[in-house]
């Protein structure tokens, strides 16, 4: 639905009965302006509008913490980045990044409410289909319900990952008919699977509007759901099909873009790597049609793109992870944080002081992901260091780079209608083909296909090899980029597993995946405490003394919801 302006808010269905009776005041009962009759909503046009409302909620619709970018829940909690900016601004994220949050934190409620709003809109479509209008065919019912169930599966998947057991409400329940009595003591994985399976079985391979999901997106998402449950053979079967036969909604065979950096440019929206993306648009009159969650995540300087505010700062550990050895391979022994290997930065160096760009071998994906001093910041200027950092002692020396608009995108994929020009119309890929390849590689490792896993990882690394960031004057690469392939056959499952997992860190960094990956691998405690120890020693004010414990594998159920429904209905997660 790129180029379709998603401005449809929540739609309230109501049956209006207007009866004129002599000697009665009934004639004074006038329906409020804008209230729709159920007959309007159950028409084909009404049903499609209701479905667009369910699609439109994917980006959170102003509830930034419900966005699938998961920049706080997946990336900051995963150690890709810290909160950035300064301690006092948006300080509800501070306890999240330190793993000290409790159930009263208001951004938990924003995530919960935004995702359940998506569930409600999806259920609304399915409920309306039960009394479909005369112009709605059986084929329309299947087509619309498959999309609605895909979307419902997505919203519940997000809720499941964040809160674990949550109330499951389908289209048969509403207020007054049992919705408020649903207890969160049931595992909802089977229901999520069922929604994606229905979508996979009933969606078309292509769509007339590219933003609508297709059968291949449903198969990829179902495979992801299987991965979270350790169902590797089932996931492998689906990924094999998607990789070999899958196409985008517009019919392009899935593949990798030639240059990694193009993934984050609006010109390449809905490309051959886009399995499912939420559709963003600038200049529509509502910034909620753009990327409403990224308005604060730009360099902090009036001359910088976005102007404000320095949130979502790449971490030292994350940037160091891109260091490579003499063969261009990652340092899988985790020596990247050692004094010999860590990436040189300008921490504590005055902006106008002499500074030499780190000359050690490094993967170029770092410079498509993190703004480093002396390296071109997209097509703007060389990142100047401290002058683009709001409080370097709190956030570190790096700036976010993915999904920040380029100079050439000003006025096209960038929105000027709000207090900051930081809103963009660049799509956010919820699932992209490289993600599918790396999930498939992981499934291959867990089912004995080590060499096929190596092939998939090398496909991703080959693209990285060809994605060097060039100096602004075009005179050559901006840093000492070295990326190599795994040329030795893989025979050790543990070594293969480590390589695949590390590749996900590099390829998908700051795209909201890391924390969830660490949790499903069972390595969160080891990885996150190592990150907190290293980065916390450098950023004492932000992370000093912070530790991760496994009670934080999920978020607490928002206390406001428990107070509303009661502790017997909403059972709090252990430890909160």
């Amino acid at each position: 639905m790129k180029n379709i302006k998603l401005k449809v808010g929540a739609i309230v269905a109501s049956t209006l009965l207007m009866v004129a009776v002599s000697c009665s005041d009934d004639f004074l009962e006038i329906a409020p302006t804008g209230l729709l009759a159920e007959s309007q909503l159950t028409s084909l046009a009404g049903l499609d509008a209701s479905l667009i409302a369910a699609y439109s909620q994917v980006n959170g619709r102003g509830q930034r913490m419900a966005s699938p970018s998961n920049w706080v829940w997946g990336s900051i909690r995963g150690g890709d980045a810290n909160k950035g900016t300064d301690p006092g601004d948006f300080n509800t994220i501070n306890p999240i990044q330190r793993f000290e949050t409790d159930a009263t934190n208001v951004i938990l409620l924003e995530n919960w409410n935004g995702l359940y709003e998506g569930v409600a809109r999806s259920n609304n479509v399915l409920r309306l289909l039960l009394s479909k209008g005369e112009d709605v065919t059986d084929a329309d019912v299947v087509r619309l319900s498959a999309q609605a169930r895909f979307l419902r599966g997505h919203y519940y998947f997000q809720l499941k990952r964040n809160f674990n057991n949550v109330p499951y409400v389908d289209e048969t329940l509403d207020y007054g008919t049992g919705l408020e009595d649903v207890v969160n003591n049931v595992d909802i994985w089977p229901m999520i699977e069922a929604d994606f399976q229905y979508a996979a079985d009933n969606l078309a391979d292509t769509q007339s509007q590219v933003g609508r999901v297709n059968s291949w997106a449903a198969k990829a998402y179902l495979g992801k759901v299987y991965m979270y449950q350790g169902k590797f053979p089932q996931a492998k079967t689906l990924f094999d099909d998607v990789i070999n036969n899958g196409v985008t909604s517009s019919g392009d065979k899935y593949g990798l873009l030639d240059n990694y950096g193009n993934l984050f440019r609006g010109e390449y929206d809905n490309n051959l790597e886009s399995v499912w993306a939420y559709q963003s648009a600038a200049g529509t009159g509502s910034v909620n049609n753009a990327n409403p969650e990224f308005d604060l995540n730009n360099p902090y300087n009036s001359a910088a793109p976005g102007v404000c505010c320095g949130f979502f700062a790449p971490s030292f550990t994350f940037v160091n992870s891109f260091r490579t050895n003499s063969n261009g391979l990652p340092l899988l022994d985790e020596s990247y944080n050692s004094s010999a290997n860590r990436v040189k930065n300008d921490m504590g160096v005055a902006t106008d002081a002499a500074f030499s760009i780190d000359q050690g071998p490094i993967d170029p994906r770092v410079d498509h992901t993190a703004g480093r001093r002396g390296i071109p910041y997209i097509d703007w200027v060389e990142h100047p260091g401290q002058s683009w950092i709001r409080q370097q002692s709190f956030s570190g020396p790096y700036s976010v780079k993915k999904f920040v608009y380029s100079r050439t995108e000003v006025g096209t994929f960038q929105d000027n209608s709000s207090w900051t020009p930081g809103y963009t119309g660049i799509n956010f890929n919820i699932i992209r083909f490289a993600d599918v390849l790396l999930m498939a590689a992981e499934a291959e490792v867990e089912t004995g296909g080590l060499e096929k896993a190596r092939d998939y990882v090398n496909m991703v690394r080959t693209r990285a090899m060809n994605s060097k960031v060039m100096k602004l004057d075009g005179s050559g690469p901006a840093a000492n980029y070295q990326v190599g392939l795994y040329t030795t056959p893989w025979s050790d499952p543990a070594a293969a597993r480590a390589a695949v997992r590390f590749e996900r860190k590099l390829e998908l960094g700051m795209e909201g995946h890391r924390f969830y990956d660490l949790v499903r691998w069972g390595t969160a405690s080891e990885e996150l405490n190592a990150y907190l120890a290293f980065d916390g020693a450098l950023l004492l004010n932000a992370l000093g003394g912070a530790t991760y414990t496994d009670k934080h594998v999920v978020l607490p159920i928002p206390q406001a919801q428990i107070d509303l429904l009661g502790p017997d209905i909403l059972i709090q997660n252990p430890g909160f």
Side-chain angles (χ1 to χ4, degrees):
M1 278 173 287
K2 195 71 176 180
N3 302 322
I4 300 297
K5 311 309 182 188
L6 300 180
K7 302 180 184 178
V8 184
I11 297 175
V12 179
S14 176
T15 301
L16 305 178
L17 299 179
M18 302 293 290
V19 181
V21 180
S22 179
C23 302
S24 170
D25 292 334
D26 288 351
F27 71 94
L28 297 175
E29 297 178 7
I30 301 173
T33 301
L35 196 63
L36 298 176
E38 185 169 333
S39 60
Q40 293 173 276
L41 291 171
T42 55
S43 69
L44 184 57
L47 287 164
D48 200 54
S50 298
L51 180 62
I52 290 174
Y55 271 108
S56 74
Q57 186 61 24
V58 171
N59 79 355
R61 301 298 297 173
Q63 295 168 304
R64 75 180 75 236
M65 289 301 151
S67 164
S69 70
N70 287 309
W71 65 278
V72 171
W73 315 117
S75 288
I76 288 180
R77 284 198 300 167
D80 286 352
N82 59 64
K83 175 207 150 192
T85 196
D86 66 19
D89 202 352
F90 209 166
N91 59 16
T92 48
I93 302 177
N94 295 346
I96 299 291
Q97 73 172 358
R98 294 180 56 85
F99 298 99
E100 295 170 352
T101 195
D102 61 28
T104 64
N105 192 320
V106 294
I107 64 174
L108 301 175
L109 186 61
E110 184 174 326
N111 180 264
W112 178 283
N113 285 346
L115 293 173
Y116 268 114
E117 173 68 19
V119 170
R121 294 186 186 196
S122 303
N123 280 340
N124 185 52
V125 176
L126 297 167
R127 187 178 300 114
L128 290 169
L129 281 166
L130 297 175
S131 53
K132 64 184 178 70
E134 292 181 358
D135 65 336
V136 181
T137 67
D138 290 344
D140 290 329
V141 171
V142 172
R143 176 176 59 83
L144 296 169
S145 61
Q147 292 176 77
R149 291 189 66 173
F150 179 104
L151 293 170
R152 183 172 68 182
H154 161 72
Y155 292 121
Y156 272 125
F157 176 76
Q158 296 277 80
L159 285 161
K160 175 67 177 176
R161 291 197 300 176
N162 280 350
F163 301 102
N164 193 24
N165 288 342
V166 296
Y168 185 84
V169 178
D170 64 17
E171 69 275 16
T172 66
L173 292 177
D174 204 343
Y175 286 107
T177 62
L179 180 150
E180 61 271 26
D181 298 321
V182 177
V183 182
N184 64 325
N185 60 356
V186 175
D187 182 11
I188 68 170
W189 280 129
M191 291 79 110
I192 296 172
E193 285 184 21
D195 275 347
F196 284 121
Q197 187 65 65
Y198 182 88
D201 292 341
N202 292 284
L203 283 170
D205 285 355
T206 60
Q207 297 279 12
S208 59
Q209 294 176 312
V210 68
R212 293 183 188 262
V213 292
N214 68 355
S215 62
W216 297 108
K219 289 176 182 178
Y221 215 143
L222 180 57
K224 186 170 186 174
V225 170
Y226 285 147
M227 294 294 287
Y228 274 73
Q229 300 173 80
K231 296 180 177 180
F232 299 112
Q234 296 95 317
K236 170 182 157 44
T237 298
L238 285 170
F239 293 143
D240 285 348
D241 194 14
V242 172
I243 292 168
N244 293 326
N245 305 304
V247 298
T248 68
S249 287
S250 59
D252 296 324
K253 178 74 174 67
Y254 286 140
L256 299 175
L257 285 182
D258 292 338
N259 188 290
Y260 184 75
N262 288 340
L263 285 164
F264 315 106
R265 303 276 59 87
E267 177 186 353
Y268 292 88
D269 281 352
N270 300 312
N271 58 69
L272 76 170
E273 193 165 340
S274 181
V275 178
W276 183 42
Y278 76 64
Q279 305 296 301
S280 304
T284 68
S286 170
V287 292
N288 285 335
N289 294 321
N291 289 327
E293 77 275 29
F294 291 147
D295 60 337
L296 305 177
N297 301 357
N298 294 275
Y300 185 76
N301 189 290
S302 60
V307 178
C308 183
C309 291
F311 285 86
F312 200 27
S315 72
F316 291 96
T317 294
F318 176 67
V319 170
N320 290 343
S321 299
F322 289 85
R323 180 68 81 205
T324 60
N325 63 20
S326 59
N327 295 318
L329 294 174
L331 304 180
L332 299 181
D333 61 358
E334 301 186 352
S335 62
Y336 46 80
N337 273 343
S338 70
S339 58
N341 292 325
R342 68 185 63 167
V343 176
K344 181 180 179 182
N345 62 71
D346 65 348
M347 188 70 174
V349 178
T351 305
D352 58 355
F355 177 75
S356 298
I357 296 171
D358 185 287
Q359 292 302 310
I362 200 164
D363 188 314
R365 286 174 291 187
V366 68
D367 289 328
H368 293 289
T369 307
R372 297 194 292 148
R373 184 178 179 186
I375 303 294
Y377 191 84
I378 318 176
D379 59 354
W380 291 88
V381 296
E382 291 180 353
H383 192 285
Q386 281 191 56
S387 67
W388 277 18
I389 310 293
R390 188 171 188 177
Q391 189 173 137
Q392 190 160 270
S393 62
F394 188 79
S395 64
Y398 306 120
S399 298
V400 66
K401 213 167 186 179
K402 288 181 177 177
F403 304 107
V404 176
Y405 61 92
S406 68
R407 185 188 296 272
T408 56
E409 289 171 326
V410 172
T412 54
F413 292 96
Q414 169 265 345
D415 192 290
N416 280 309
S417 65
S418 186
W419 66 276
T420 171
Y423 294 92
T424 78
I426 302 169
N427 283 2
F428 181 86
N429 279 304
I430 300 167
I431 301 178
R432 57 184 177 88
F433 190 57
D435 183 9
V436 172
L437 287 173
L438 294 175
M439 287 191 290
E442 186 180 337
E444 292 287 355
V445 169
E446 302 304 335
T447 56
L450 301 187
E451 279 298 272
K452 178 56 75 172
R454 183 168 70 94
D455 288 344
Y456 288 150
V457 170
N458 278 340
M459 288 173 64
V460 174
R461 293 187 64 77
T462 297
R463 193 257 300 277
M465 186 186 304
N466 299 321
S467 301
K468 296 176 181 178
V469 173
M470 305 305 287
K471 294 178 181 178
L472 289 174
D473 63 8
S475 61
N480 179 18
Y481 300 124
Q482 294 187 30
V483 177
L485 304 181
Y486 290 99
T487 58
T488 302
W490 284 357
S491 57
D492 178 6
R497 186 177 296 115
V500 172
R501 291 177 176 181
F502 205 87
E503 201 63 32
R504 285 188 65 81
K505 181 181 186 180
L506 302 177
E507 175 69 19
L508 301 169
M510 299 190 74
E511 295 180 46
H513 298 275
R514 183 65 175 168
F515 178 79
Y516 301 117
D517 282 345
L518 294 177
V519 167
R520 65 187 182 84
W521 295 334
T523 62
S525 182
E526 176 186 358
E527 294 270 4
L528 292 175
N529 281 312
Y531 150 69
L532 290 168
F534 184 82
D535 278 57
L538 296 168
L539 302 176
L540 286 170
N541 195 19
L543 298 171
T547 58
Y548 170 86
T549 61
D550 281 336
K551 87 169 189 177
H552 292 283
V553 71
V554 292
L555 297 168
I557 305 294
Q559 189 61 45
Q561 289 292 303
I562 294 176
D563 293 343
L564 181 66
L565 296 175
D568 295 331
I569 299 296
L570 280 184
I571 303 166
Q572 185 58 275
N573 285 322
F576 293 104

